[in-house]
Amino acid sequence: MAWTREEMAHRAAGEIRDGFYVNLGIGIPTLVANWIAADLTVTLQSENGMLGMGPFPYEDEVDADVINAGKQTVSEIPMTSYVSSADSFAMIRGGHMDLSILGAMQVSETGDLANWMVPGKMVKGMGGAMDLVAGVKRVTVLMDHVEKSGAPKLVPNCTLPLTGAKVVDLVITDLAVFRFAERGGRLDLVELAPGVGLDEINAKTTAAFDVRLASE
């Protein structure tokens, strides 16, 4: 059985360590905020200048002025502070962020990432993904394993415009977890969702990968 979006976010939250500064992309990555372990001190950063975000608010707690970079309403916590967008990007470009968790349209077998546009379709904003993959220490991708058409998203080479080359460290899909032991190196399959078999992964993945499951 494939992981749900919440289960994917829960799995990704397990990569966060105490003291980390973390940037969450739009889509499934925003759900990670709800799964950060209570005993960890973690600072969530948003490109729009919010530093220290809490979980998504309940309906009666929504403040329309408190939003993340994806324009979703979020909640404040006691340590929340605000800086300019320029200062926020300076944190990213200066290498001060430990981890970014991003969505993706395609990831190549060498860790290239495409997540910002499809040629011919409207681009509402480039966001900060290019800065994030260039300046953050680790990049985790959270995405469905295949497109709605069934086409694989883990591919030999990205056919969509790149956000960054050889920048991905970990890929969590609804079917499995893949890890690059080193950036630009071989892609390893390290975990399967419950009930998902290797045959299904092979059928839905065109990227080359090695199998390094815990039981192997």
Side-chain angles (χ1 to χ4, degrees):
M1 181 184 298
W3 281 315
T4 66
R5 291 162 61 93
E6 289 288 352
E7 288 170 333
M8 293 165 66
H10 190 189
R11 175 62 183 80
E15 298 295 318
I16 296 174
R17 300 292 178 263
D18 192 40
F20 267 20
Y21 282 72
V22 180
N23 184 291
L24 303 178
I26 61 175
I28 303 174
T30 59
L31 302 176
V32 174
N34 294 331
W35 292 102
I36 296 173
D39 60 340
L40 299 183
T41 299
V42 175
T43 303
L44 299 180
Q45 187 254 19
S46 180
E47 296 100 296
N48 63 347
M50 190 174 182
L51 187 63
M53 287 184 292
F56 285 119
Y58 292 107
E59 189 172 344
D60 61 349
E61 299 174 341
V62 168
D63 182 339
D65 292 326
V66 181
I67 60 173
N68 62 19
K71 300 181 179 57
Q72 297 170 303
T73 52
V74 294
S75 64
E76 294 179 326
I77 54 177
M79 64 178 291
T80 296
S81 60
Y82 296 93
V83 299
S84 70
S85 181
D87 286 332
S88 181
F89 273 88
M91 294 177 194
I92 296 169
R93 294 168 183 168
H96 302 292
M97 304 302 298
D98 297 291
L99 172 67
S100 183
I101 301 176
L102 301 170
M105 298 172 183
Q106 292 178 331
V107 175
S108 81
E109 64 188 27
T110 57
D112 299 341
L113 171 66
N115 79 344
W116 70 281
M117 67 97 71
V118 175
K121 293 191 175 182
M122 179 185 291
V123 179
K124 295 182 179 179
M126 293 174 63
M130 292 179 184
D131 292 272
L132 286 163
V133 299
V136 174
K137 295 169 186 172
R138 289 188 61 80
V139 173
T140 289
V141 167
L142 263 181
M143 67 177 188
D144 291 329
H145 202 90
V146 298
E147 299 176 10
K148 291 181 180 177
S149 65
K153 297 176 73 171
L154 272 170
V155 293
N157 297 288
C158 294
T159 56
L160 297 173
L162 289 187
T163 307
K166 300 179 181 178
V167 295
V168 177
D169 298 288
L170 185 75
V171 180
I172 300 171
T173 78
D174 53 328
L175 301 181
V177 179
F178 296 82
R179 190 182 302 276
F180 291 92
E182 58 180 311
R183 287 194 168 180
R186 290 282 295 183
L187 180 64
D188 294 330
L189 170 64
V190 296
E191 190 174 337
L192 293 170
V196 174
L198 189 54
D199 288 346
E200 182 175 0
I201 298 299
N202 282 326
K204 296 180 177 178
T205 309
T206 53
F209 62 90
D210 295 324
V211 179
R212 300 189 186 279
L213 300 170
S215 59
E216 294 290 322

